Each structure stands twice: as structure tokens, then as C-alpha cells.
Amino acid sequence: MGEVTIEGKDGSFTVYAAVPEVTPAPGIVVAQEIFGVNQVMRDTCDWLATHCVVAVCPDLFWSIDPIIQITD
């Protein structure tokens, strides 16, 4: 699915979402690391989706520095 923008009360923020081929499916929220919603977080969500789980990783830093993506 990729990035989705969510409109909130205090502004909009992005969420990376990975959806399995078969739905409905259970879901999980993946908490980002200090590095933001980087490739590691996206790969984690994608891996979960291959195991029949809807996985979303919201940008928790959106109000401070949106779309921060640092690699370790």
C-alpha cells in the first residue's frame, strides 16, 4: 500500500501501511525507532504483511520534523 496521509485534529501526518494479499487480517501498529519511518521500518511492515498481518508505522515525529528518515 505504501504511505497514507491521515488528517488529524492538529494537522496531517503520514503512515506507512503494508497490507497482506488476503484480507480481512489482524493488524498491528509498528512503533518507529529513533531513526523515523526509514527503510528498516518499511521492511518490517512488509515482512509482517507477508505473514498475513496488516502493519502500519505512523510518523511519530510529524509535529517536530516530518518525514525524518535516518539510517543507522
Side-chain angles (χ1 to χ4, degrees):
M1 182 178 243
E3 288 192 359
V4 177
T5 301
I6 296 179
E7 297 294 329
K9 178 180 148 188
D10 296 323
S12 61
F13 62 97
T14 59
V15 174
Y16 182 80
V19 180
E21 291 182 19
V22 178
T23 56
I28 189 168
V29 175
V30 177
Q32 72 178 45
E33 300 171 320
I34 190 78
F35 304 115
V37 184
N38 60 11
Q39 189 62 49
V40 173
M41 296 292 97
R42 292 189 295 272
D43 289 346
T44 300
C45 290
D46 292 341
W47 179 83
L48 287 164
T50 65
H51 289 79
C52 300
V53 175
V54 176
V56 295
C57 187
D59 178 9
L60 300 178
F61 300 144
W62 70 272
S63 65
I64 300 168
D65 190 3
I67 313 176
I68 186 170
Q69 295 183 27
I70 304 168
T71 59
D72 55 346

